[in-house]
Amino acid sequence: MFKQNNDLQVGEQILKEYPNAVFINDLKLMMAEKYYETGDRKRSAELIKSVNPRALKPDYLSRYAKLWRELDLDKKTALLNIPHLFMDYLKEVYLTEEERIKVGEELIKRRQYKHAVVILSNIPQACHLLGEAYEKLRMYSEALSVLKDCHVNDALLIRARIVFDLSKDEFIETLKLLEGSPAYNQALFYAGRMSLYRGNFQEALQWFGMMENSYQKFFQLGLTNFILGDYSNALEAFQSALRFASNQTETSESHFWLFKSYKELGDFSKASYHLLRASKGSGFYSTTSKVLLGEPAVSKFMKVFLVHAEDTSTARTIRSIFDAGFPYYARLEAFKNINRITASDILTIQKFDNFLAIRLAVRKFGTNSEIYNLVAYPTPYKEFVEEASQRFGLDKNLVWAVMRQESLFDPEAVSPSNAKGLMQLMDFTAREMSIKFGIPNNIFSPRENILMGTAYLREMLDLWNGDLIRAIASYNAGPNRVKTFIQHKDSYVFIETIPIAETRNYVKQVLNNYYIYKALD
């Protein structure tokens, strides 16, 4: 109501009656701005000082910073609250070492590494954080200089990663310092994976072999031996991995690669057995195994079985906030009342916000629940998806598969790297697709975003001559980067050796989504 007419009396009444409302901090900011415009600096300052900036809608933070500056309020408070927007205050404010470390940690979380270096310099107990910031900036000599007298395990692990490319002897010496700690295996895993990415397979075997016995040790040994064509040793390693598997996903993964190893050795009976076992677990390899067996990736009940959704007061409240044009606040309200949320509420919420329904199902009931299965793979924006599918000759199920992974169907999603909308387009990609195909560049419009994203996905498929896996990888990491990967002929080896963890997991999840959507079609 205040947002519609800027009536400060209405705003004050809302503050009094709903002090714990999910939108209260945003309201205080808007009222502070209005009081400032009317010349009431005192009330404006009272309100903005009562705002918790960490609870503000993300796109309101810059407004908060602007008003704080205009009111000339306490600089130290500003710097401690949201340091990345007030770094220019650093020269004017005294911070204790403890406060500087706190600010530095926040800056690293926000990937503000240059600022983190400034604030963390010359603090001995922050050496590992400073080393991490230098490493992210690829200032390796500076990082090593800071880390040489820093003996906490986090620092030694960073040091191990850096010296691995500089001196194997120094890497070994650093390893000795890490023995007996979890970081020891992490350093060896890093060395093994880097060797794998570079095609140094014998060296990869050496590093993985030095790891303490674990699922990861044996899986990586199996994968490396498989790449080398040593299927007997691969088989032995994957069998050991299976013994160390601690969850259904790892179990399916082990069985799948046992299937591939037995198949290469010509033992098709055992290969079939392990493929069947892989299909009984969960995750990408379980779904893939079902597809290879000719089974549906999911049960059809997910498509046809629905229960009556009772319109409860909780769901009605959330919907009323959403329908008023405030999806962000509707989501906050839902999670604030998570203990009261029922399966029926989630089915009701799915009718207007797929993103929220899936998140609530995961948080409240888990991914193995029936309610999650009912809401996890919706097909929103059908008209726009079918238009894009027909225009660019792309399977509509693939469009939904990418959309689900990119934004979970949130049309206003913005990533840390500033990718936007349903298909998470970077501004330059949206511009290019808009110009090339005559699509209005309205990046937050569902229709235009889906059209531009589908056009780009079509281009990636054409670039790779229809290779779905490399096209999906290119959508995430960019085609030029994907061209630098070792182009293993075996599709699953290629996936497992993608050197960027985010892209590797992205490819698996999009393919998993795609198989499920095709099964539900």
Side-chain angles (χ1 to χ4, degrees), residues 330-345:
R331 293 166 185 172
L332 289 181
E333 182 69 21
F335 283 106
K336 180 182 174 184
N337 291 283
I338 189 71
N339 292 333
R340 295 170 56 193
I341 292 288
T342 66
S344 186
D345 288 328

Side-chain angles (χ1 to χ4, degrees), residues 67-170:
L67 183 57
W68 193 280
R69 289 175 183 278
E70 289 175 348
L71 289 167
D72 196 25
L73 299 176
D74 184 64
K75 294 179 178 179
K76 182 173 181 176
T77 300
L79 190 57
L80 290 173
N81 278 342
I82 41 175
H84 66 291
L85 293 179
F86 290 103
M87 276 303 293
D88 55 308
Y89 284 175
L90 186 59
K91 294 178 181 178
E92 306 173 51
V93 170
Y94 171 77
L95 297 178
T96 65
E97 287 191 351
E98 186 178 340
E99 288 169 335
R100 286 168 64 190
I101 290 171
K102 179 183 173 184
V103 169
E105 288 175 329
E106 179 68 22
L107 292 169
I108 288 173
K109 284 180 188 174
R110 292 182 174 273
R111 303 179 186 179
Q112 301 282 322
Y113 302 119
K114 289 182 179 178
H115 291 327
V117 164
V118 172
I119 205 160
L120 293 170
S121 293
N122 302 315
I123 305 177
Q125 60 266 43
C127 56
H128 63 291
L129 293 171
L130 184 56
E132 180 184 354
Y134 276 129
E135 182 193 22
K136 297 296 186 184
L137 292 168
R138 300 187 179 184
M139 299 172 68
Y140 299 128
S141 59
E142 290 85 351
L144 290 175
S145 176
V146 168
L147 295 169
K148 66 181 179 180
D149 296 317
C150 194
H151 297 295
V152 297
N153 284 339
D154 286 349
L156 290 170
L157 180 57
I158 296 168
R159 181 173 147 192
R161 289 198 299 258
I162 294 172
V163 300
F164 177 73
D165 281 329
L166 303 177
S167 166
K168 293 300 186 288
D169 289 339
E170 195 170 342

Side-chain angles (χ1 to χ4, degrees), residues 63 94 113 172 191 216 257 296 322 354 364 369 401 484 496:
R63 290 166 55 178
Y94 171 77
Y113 302 119
I172 294 292
Q216 277 296 354
W257 283 91
F322 187 94
N354 288 291
K364 184 69 184 281
S369 64
T484 68
E496 287 296 345

Side-chain angles (χ1 to χ4, degrees), residues 8 18 109 176 238 294 299 357 362 389 395 419 455 459 475 487:
L8 287 168
Y18 305 100
K109 284 180 188 174
K176 290 177 182 176
F238 289 132
S299 169
V362 172
S389 170
D395 187 343
E459 290 209 333
Y475 193 96
Q487 302 298 316

